[in-house]
Amino acid sequence: MARAASTKGNTRIQRQKTRQILDAALEVFSTYGFRGSTIDQIAAQAGLSKPNILYYFDGKEAIHRVLLDRLLHTWLEPLEHLGESDNPVDEICAYVTRKLEMSRDYPRESRLFANEILQGAPNIIAELQGPLKSLTDEKCRLIQSWIDAGKIAPLDPHHLIFSIWSTTQHYADFDVQVQAVLGHAGEDRFTAAQTHLDHLFRGMLTPRLDHDV
Amino acid sequence: MARAASTKGNTRIQRQKTRQILDAALEVFSTYGFRGSTIDQIAAQAGLSKPNILYYFDGKEAIHRVLLDRLLHTWLEPLEHLGESDNPVDEICAYVTRKLEMSRDYPRESRLFANEILQGAPNIIAELQGPLKSLTDEKCRLIQSWIDAGKIAPLDPHHLIFSIWSTTQHYADFDVQVQAVLGHAGEDRFTAAQTHLDHLFRGMLTPRLDHDV
DNA sequence: AAAATTCTTGACCGAATGGTCAGGGTGCAT
DNA sequence: ATGCACCCTGACCATTCGGTCAAGAATTTT
């Protein structure tokens, strides 16, 4: 009985072809979004025939679902690592650096996520309201405790996290624009970005004495 | 002779229908991207028949092009207003506020832009490398002069602008995620965001005495 | 090496999509 | 009210798209 369905990587060939297809699909979906992508595009990208793609996956949507599932796991991980520390400013900056590295190393995943959110997150809205919200709320309580202890400047934890997400992912999602504006001088743009973001968040997080209230 | 082509708003009806179509198209394109949108969707959204849409525009691509043209003009405007000031910190923060207001008031335009960039900016790459780069470079020189005068903290002007763009547009492009994470408590999320971003950039821009080099 | 299983594809199908066109309807100036 | 330019649409067309299937090729098992 065929119908390999989702990720049943039993045989050698199954494992290889499944990975091959998912990699091609990530490339295509992250660029054109779900509705803008075609199975033929994925097949061409993977160097396989269309029916062959559909031999391993139960359809376009099934491929997309697998990619999104993997994505969410990868995406939440860095935030999970945000934990207690003697130096909260360094701890948060390390998170910023980690997120920026992910934008550099996994830009396609970042764009896939961006595409899904842009389109109203039809397939991951539940995960956003569930696991993502829970994890975020938890980390926000941690950040709030740092604020209460006077270890970092007082600011809204949720919006701080939004700022971290947006500034770091920008270098993956808007890479074309970044390159266009920086011109060819932007060779080491990730190094420059890292320095900049470290300054930005360090400057904002470090508590000030000239602050009343 | 028919073939109204692009924006030939001569008669009353032409003006009204053209606007109606562009509004509907903005709604659809900003959600599904160019390739993921169909003329039928735009027609349904506009309350018109498909052939009627094609009576006013020479095709799906023509509509998209008009929207992008208008967008770029709107998009560059706030940055153009960044100018000399006795208080550069306030000047930049005013720009941040202006950009955030645009995310609130024109989220569809923001998402249309994001979609285009995500897909590699096939239709506006020239504008990015031309007008956008020129304007950005010019404003970066202005910012650099403020830095040299010691009026704001030393940091990379280009990446500062990227941070402003990303943090503000995040509230339009990733609105679904923001809402999911904040829950129903996010009623006045734009007010909260405004306060937060003002803190963020003020904290970063204000020169510090405890800074060597 | 033969049998059983897994893998691959050309040909095909129904639905959706971008776009056309002839003909009829509508608004407007005279 | 009538002529004319402008406006609108049902029907239609070619192509693309997601997906199926039978039959053959490759691989593994016995």
Side-chain angles (χ1 to χ4, degrees):
Chain A
M1 202 163 286
R3 258 327 69 97
S6 53
T7 327
K8 268 186 90 180
N10 291 327
T11 74
R12 175 182 56 89
I13 293 180
Q14 272 170 29
R15 266 190 298 275
Q16 199 225 310
K17 290 293 165 66
T18 299
R19 185 190 294 196
Q20 204 173 328
I21 293 168
L22 287 174
D23 188 73
L26 176 59
E27 188 73 31
V28 176
F29 281 139
S30 68
T31 302
Y32 299 106
F34 178 74
R35 297 202 36 177
S37 303
T38 72
I39 301 181
D40 292 271
Q41 277 178 294
I42 297 171
Q45 179 73 33
L48 300 173
S49 70
K50 183 167 65 168
N52 205 359
I53 300 277
L54 292 166
Y55 172 75
Y56 289 102
F57 289 91
D58 284 339
K60 183 179 162 183
E61 216 176 310
I63 305 176
H64 194 239
R65 214 175 308 130
V66 172
L67 285 176
L68 283 182
D69 283 349
R70 296 189 174 191
L71 174 65
L72 280 163
H73 180 258
T74 315
W75 227 234
L76 291 184
E77 205 198 273
L79 185 53
E80 282 165 0
H81 281 59
L82 188 76
E84 290 293 350
S85 167
D86 291 342
N87 193 333
V89 173
D90 284 343
E91 181 73 14
I92 292 175
C93 284
Y95 173 57
V96 171
T97 297
R98 183 84 189 87
K99 283 291 289 179
L100 186 62
E101 283 169 356
M102 290 197 61
S103 278
R104 181 193 55 195
D105 300 335
Y106 305 100
R108 300 181 305 177
E109 280 81 353
S110 186
R111 282 195 277 263
L112 181 72
F113 187 75
N115 256 309
E116 178 70 12
I117 300 291
L118 266 181
Q119 301 184 9
N123 296 299
I124 56 170
I125 185 67
E127 278 76 8
L128 296 186
Q129 294 170 335
L132 177 65
K133 178 171 167 49
S134 300
L135 182 64
T136 307
D137 286 346
E138 178 199 326
K139 297 307 178 184
C140 281
R141 284 193 294 275
L142 175 63
I143 293 171
Q144 187 61 52
S145 75
W146 288 335
I147 294 173
D148 294 341
K151 290 184 172 178
I152 63 173
L155 40 87
D156 188 316
H158 278 107
H159 289 274
L160 169 63
I161 289 182
F162 291 154
S163 293
I164 294 173
W165 288 346
S166 59
T167 50
T168 54
Q169 290 173 11
H170 187 79
Y171 290 98
D173 302 342
F174 288 72
D175 181 57
V176 175
Q177 189 188 25
V178 169
Q179 276 195 53
V181 169
L182 289 184
H184 298 301
E187 285 303 320
D188 57 343
R189 61 186 185 282
F190 271 96
T191 306
Q194 215 242 287
T195 304
H196 166 79
L197 290 182
D198 198 79
H199 276 189
L200 180 88
F201 287 105
R202 211 168 278 279
M204 150 177 238
L205 291 167
T206 306
R208 301 208 167 198
L209 299 178
D210 56 286
H211 236 300
D212 18 338
V213 176
Chain B
M1 202 166 286
R3 254 334 65 99
S6 53
T7 328
K8 269 186 93 179
N10 291 327
T11 74
R12 175 181 56 88
I13 293 181
Q14 272 171 28
R15 266 190 298 275
Q16 199 224 311
K17 290 294 165 66
T18 299
R19 184 190 294 196
Q20 204 172 329
I21 293 168
L22 287 175
D23 189 73
L26 176 59
E27 187 74 32
V28 175
F29 281 139
S30 67
T31 302
Y32 299 106
F34 178 73
R35 298 202 35 177
S37 302
T38 71
I39 300 181
D40 292 271
Q41 278 178 294
I42 298 171
Q45 179 72 33
L48 300 172
S49 69
K50 184 168 64 168
N52 204 1
I53 301 277
L54 292 165
Y55 173 76
Y56 289 102
F57 289 91
D58 284 339
K60 183 179 163 182
E61 217 177 309
I63 305 176
H64 194 238
R65 214 175 309 131
V66 172
L67 284 176
L68 283 182
D69 283 349
R70 297 190 174 190
L71 175 64
L72 280 162
H73 180 257
T74 315
W75 227 234
L76 291 183
E77 205 198 273
L79 186 54
E80 282 165 359
H81 281 61
L82 188 76
E84 290 292 349
S85 168
D86 291 342
N87 192 333
V89 174
D90 284 343
E91 182 73 14
I92 293 176
C93 284
Y95 173 56
V96 172
T97 298
R98 182 83 188 86
K99 282 291 287 181
L100 187 62
E101 282 169 357
M102 290 197 61
S103 279
R104 182 192 57 196
D105 298 335
Y106 305 99
R108 301 181 304 179
E109 280 81 354
S110 186
R111 281 194 278 263
L112 182 72
F113 187 75
N115 256 310
E116 178 69 12
I117 300 291
L118 267 179
Q119 301 184 9
N123 297 298
I124 57 169
I125 186 67
E127 279 77 8
L128 296 186
Q129 293 170 336
L132 178 64
K133 178 170 167 49
S134 300
L135 181 63
T136 308
D137 286 347
E138 178 199 327
K139 297 306 177 183
C140 280
R141 283 193 295 275
L142 175 62
I143 294 172
Q144 187 62 50
S145 76
W146 288 334
I147 294 173
D148 295 339
K151 290 184 173 179
I152 64 173
L155 39 88
D156 189 315
H158 280 107
H159 288 275
L160 169 63
I161 289 181
F162 292 154
S163 293
I164 294 173
W165 287 347
S166 59
T167 50
T168 53
Q169 290 174 11
H170 187 79
Y171 290 98
D173 303 341
F174 287 73
D175 181 56
V176 175
Q177 189 187 26
V178 169
Q179 275 195 52
V181 169
L182 290 183
H184 298 300
E187 284 303 320
D188 57 343
R189 61 185 184 281
F190 272 96
T191 307
Q194 215 242 286
T195 305
H196 166 78
L197 291 182
D198 198 79
H199 277 187
L200 180 90
F201 287 105
R202 209 167 281 278
M204 154 179 234
L205 291 168
T206 306
R208 301 204 165 202
L209 300 178
D210 56 287
H211 236 301
D212 17 338
V213 177

